[in-house]
Amino acid sequence: MQQKFRNLALSLPILTALVFLLLATLLCAKLMRGFRTFSRGENLWSKSEKQVQIDLLQYTYSCDRSMLVDAAKHLAVLESDRGARRQLDNANPDLQMVNKGFEQGGNAPEDIPSVILDYRLFRHTEAMSRALGAWRDTDDDVDELSGFLSELRA
């Protein structure tokens, strides 16, 4: 009987370490999923930004109103992502709006909680802060594109 307790006492620290390592691995996987989604989201955002410009340029040559519809669709990606980011910048963000914004921006719904976690944990780190600053710097450009599109659609 004492041998069993001795074996248990020896294996308990090992089991505790294994459980800790498993939890740390799961946390790392969740964080990496968020960063991967940020990267994919940036790719979708950049493509949409370029496509809005291309659609507007094509409209100026062709006067094909379908180009304005396409431009509006791509501009919606930029505006929805920006709305989600602005919500996350609030002290008490509306997580439904954040989810909706990132989903409308083309992000997979199952990846959005990881993005929110990463944003909240790392937004004040140097690398993330620089990336978010560059994203915020585009807000005026998005407003300008939106205004230009509104004028053309009128």
Side-chain angles (χ1 to χ4, degrees):
M1 185 78 162
Q2 278 190 344
Q3 182 66 24
K4 287 183 181 181
F5 285 122
R6 184 170 181 246
N7 289 342
L8 181 63
L10 291 174
S11 52
L12 193 59
I14 294 170
L15 288 174
T16 303
L18 287 174
V19 168
F20 176 77
L21 287 173
L22 177 64
L23 292 174
T25 301
L26 291 173
L27 177 62
C28 287
K30 185 166 182 69
L31 293 174
M32 290 305 297
R33 183 179 194 173
F35 288 125
R36 185 193 72 231
T37 303
F38 258 114
S39 179
R40 188 173 54 231
E42 189 277 333
N43 183 32
L44 293 169
W45 192 96
S46 294
K47 286 180 180 179
S48 292
E49 180 189 32
K50 299 292 184 264
Q51 195 59 50
V52 168
Q53 295 170 6
I54 290 168
D55 291 341
L56 291 175
L57 186 60
Q58 286 180 340
Y59 173 77
T60 61
Y61 289 120
S62 70
C63 293
D64 179 1
R65 304 237 359 124
S66 69
M67 292 292 111
L68 296 180
V69 172
D70 291 344
K73 181 179 75 172
H74 294 291
L75 186 62
V77 170
L78 307 179
E79 291 174 336
S80 61
D81 278 346
R82 176 174 61 176
R85 186 201 72 228
R86 285 179 172 172
Q87 274 299 315
L88 284 174
D89 285 339
N90 291 334
N92 295 311
D94 181 341
L95 295 180
Q96 275 189 312
M97 287 183 70
V98 172
N99 280 299
K100 183 179 177 184
F102 282 141
E103 193 172 337
Q104 288 174 341
N107 295 292
E110 62 272 11
D111 292 338
I112 295 171
S114 296
V115 170
I116 294 170
L117 178 66
D118 286 1
Y119 193 99
R120 290 176 138 183
L121 289 177
F122 299 107
R123 70 177 162 197
H124 298 297
T125 63
E126 183 181 347
M128 186 75 133
S129 182
R130 270 193 319 233
L132 293 173
W135 189 7
R136 285 183 194 97
D137 289 345
T138 66
D139 285 354
D140 290 339
D141 297 333
V142 172
D143 288 337
E144 194 173 309
L145 285 171
S146 181
F148 189 60
L149 181 60
S150 294
E151 286 179 28
L152 290 174
R153 293 176 92 183

